[in-house]
Amino acid sequence: MHEKLEKEALWQFGGYGFLVAVTMVMMFPIYWLVVASTLPQSAIFAGGAGELPRLIPGRNFLANAEALAARPEVDFYRSMLNSLVIAVVYTGLALLFCSMGGFALAKYEFKYKRALFMGILGTLLLPTNLLVIPLFLLVSNMGLSNSYWAVILPWAAYPLGIFFMKQAMQSIPDSLLEAARMDGASEFQLYYRVVLPSMKSSLAALAVILFLFQWNLFLWPLVVLREGKYTIPVAISKIMSNDMIAYDQLMVASAMAIVPMFVVFILLQRHFVNGILGGAVKE
Amino acid sequence: MSRQLLVPLLDQVRFKREQLKDRLPTLPGTPLLFLSPFFLLFGVFLAIPVFYTFYLSFFTFQGVSTEALFAIDVGAYQIMIPEMANLQYVGLDNYRRLLTDSVFYQSLLNTAIIFVVQVPLMVALALGLALVLNAAYTRYKGIFRSLLLLPVSANTVAYSAVFIVIAAEGGLADIALGAIGIPPIDWISDGFWARNLVAFMSVWRWTGYNMIIILAGLQTISPSLYEAAEIGGATKIQKFRHITLPQLKPIMLFVFVTTTIGVFKKFAEPMIVISSGGPLNETRTIVYYIWQVAFQNLELGYGSALTVALVAIIMTLSLIQFKVS
C-alpha cells in the first residue's frame, strides 16, 4: 500500500511538472511580445557574444508607437479601426442570418429541407481560403472590391454558424412556440420575442467564434483591400514586407493586435468553449 | 466537437425525419423567409464560387474585363459573373500542366512535411495536457485551461511576427539553445528549419484548442469502465491503452480531420516567414503557391485548377481518415 501511494505521488508530480512546464513555454511568446514592444530595436536582439536581449520591459513603448504611426503606407491605427468595424458588423450580420436560418431549419418542416441542410454541411469540409479566385472576380464585378462589404458579406453565411444555431434551437420545446402562437404572436415575433431571448448563451458562443474568424482573416483581405482599407493582419504584413524590417514597430503593432484580444478572450472564453463543445467540458 | 457537433452530424446523416415531420409546423413561405438572407449570401458567395472555380479551371486568360459572362437577376441586385479578357477554352491543359509542375509537387511536399512535424507533436502535447487536466488531483484547472487556450485568439499574422523576432539571428531562440550548448540555428533562411518553424508556430497556436476538444472527450468516458479495470488490477498505463485510447477514437478522428484541413489551407505563417527572408522553395505551402499563381502572375485559370486539385486531395484525405478509424 505504501508503495502504491508513492507511485501515485510520482505520477502527480510528473503531471504537474508537465502542465506547468508546457504552460510556461506557451505563455513565454506572449510575455516576450509585451516586453519587446517596450524596447528599442537594438535591445530586442543580442548585441554581441554572450550578451542577452533584454527580458524586462523598457520605456520605449510610446516612442515605438509614434514611429509606427508615422508610416503612412502602413496606416496602423486606421487599420485597427477598419478591423474593428469589419469584425463587429460582420459578427452582428452573421449572427442574425445564422439564427434566422437555424430557426427555420430547427422548427419548421418544408420541402427540400434535408437537401438544403446537406448542402450546408458539405461546405464545412471546404477550406474557405480556396474560394479566393472566383470570389475576387465576383466581388470586383459587383463593384465591391476595396470596401468593408467585400470582407463582410462573403462569409456572413457562415455554414458552421447556421448548423450550430439549428442544433441549439432544437432544444426549445415546441409547446412553448405553440403557446405563443395561440396568444396570437406572428412567426417573426416568435423568433424575436421567444426564440432569441432563450438562446442568449448560444448566441454569445457563436459571436466569439465569428468575431475571431473575421479578426484573423488574412488571405482574402490581402487580395481584395487596398491602401487605406487594410485590416490589422494586412497592415502588419506590410511592415514586414519592407527590406529593412523595423522590429520595434513590428512588436508594438503585434502587441496592440494581440494583447487587447487576450483580455476580451479571457472574459469570454467560457462562451468560446461552449461554442465548440456545447458545454461538454465540466470543471 | 463531441456531443454538440460530432454526434448530431452523424444523426443528421442517418436520421429520423418521419418523427420530426409530424410535429413541426409546415407554414407556407415562413421558413423560406427566415432562410432567405442566409441562402442568398450562401448561394452568391459560396455555392457560385465553388462551381465557378471548377469552370475556370478549363480556361486560360489574363486580367479581368467588365463584360458579363452570364448574369443572375435577384431583383434588387444583378449578380454578374465576369468574363475574362482573352478568355480561351483550353480543356484539360491546366490539369496536364499541373501534373508536370514541380513547384506544385514541392509545395505539396512542404505542406505534407509541415503536417508530419506539427501533428504528432501537437496531438501528444494536447493529449498529455488533457489527461493531467482531467485527473482528480489537479488544482486550478480553470486557470491552466484559460492560459493554454489563449493562443487560439492570437491574430495569425501578429503571432507569426512574434515568432520571427524570437527566431531571428541573435534572437531569444538562439540564446536559449546556446544556454544548453546547442549552436545557433538558422531558423529563417535555412529551408529545413524555416519549414519546421512554420510547424512549431502552428503547434503553439492549436495545442490548447485541441486539448479542450480531447478534454471534452475524456469527460464523456464512463467512470465505471475505470472502476471495473481497477478491480481487475489494471495499471495506469493499461487503463490508458485499453480504455482511454479506444474511447477517444471519434474525438481523435475529429482532431485529425480538422487539423488536416487547417494545415492544407495554411497561408499566413509561410507568408510571414517568406516575407522576412525565408526560402521560397522550402516554405511555400500549397495555398501560398495558389495565391502566387493567381494574384501575382494573374493566371487565374491555372490557379483554379490547382484549387480543384487541392480540394480533391483534402476530400480524399478526410475520407481515408474516416475509413481508417
Side-chain angles (χ1 to χ4, degrees), chain B residues 80 93 104 136 139 244 274 322:
Chain B
M80 313 228 281
D93 274 9
F104 171 65
R139 296 181 64 199
T244 312
I274 289 167
F322 271 109

Side-chain angles (χ1 to χ4, degrees), chain A residues 16 26 142 166 269 282, chain B residues 12 77 139 146 204 219:
Chain A
Y16 263 121
M26 300 286 249
M142 292 166 90
K166 172 189 179 285
Q269 58 120 357
K282 294 166 290 202
Chain B
Q12 295 300 342
Y77 199 87
R139 296 181 64 199
S146 305
W204 180 79
Q219 292 180 343

Side-chain angles (χ1 to χ4, degrees), chain B residues 13 43 46 75 101 120 125 127 131 171 213 229 265 283 299 307 321-322:
Chain B
V13 179
L46 259 162
D101 182 351
L125 280 176
L127 182 61
L131 285 173
I213 288 170
K265 68 174 185 188
T283 38
E299 294 179 283
T307 305
Q321 285 171 331
F322 271 109

Side-chain angles (χ1 to χ4, degrees), chain A residues 8 16 26-27 32 46 52-53 109 114 129 134 138 141-142 163 166-167 187 216 262 269 280-282, chain B residues 5 8 12 25 27 44 53 77 80 139 146-147 153 155-156 166 170 172 175 204-205 212 219 236 265:
Chain A
E8 180 62 30
Y16 263 121
M26 300 286 249
M27 290 304 106
W32 169 243
L52 276 169
E109 194 52 58
R114 259 173 70 80
N129 260 353
L138 199 67
N141 202 259
M142 292 166 90
F163 177 65
K166 172 189 179 285
Q167 292 308 131
E187 297 302 308
N216 280 322
F262 281 169
Q269 58 120 357
V281 173
K282 294 166 290 202
Chain B
L5 290 182
Q12 295 300 342
L27 297 165
V44 173
T53 306
Y77 199 87
M80 313 228 281
R139 296 181 64 199
S146 305
L147 289 177
S153 70
N155 188 296
T156 21
I166 291 177
L172 283 169
I175 288 158
W204 180 79
R205 184 180 175 86
I212 292 286
Q219 292 180 343
K236 264 193 154 61
K265 68 174 185 188

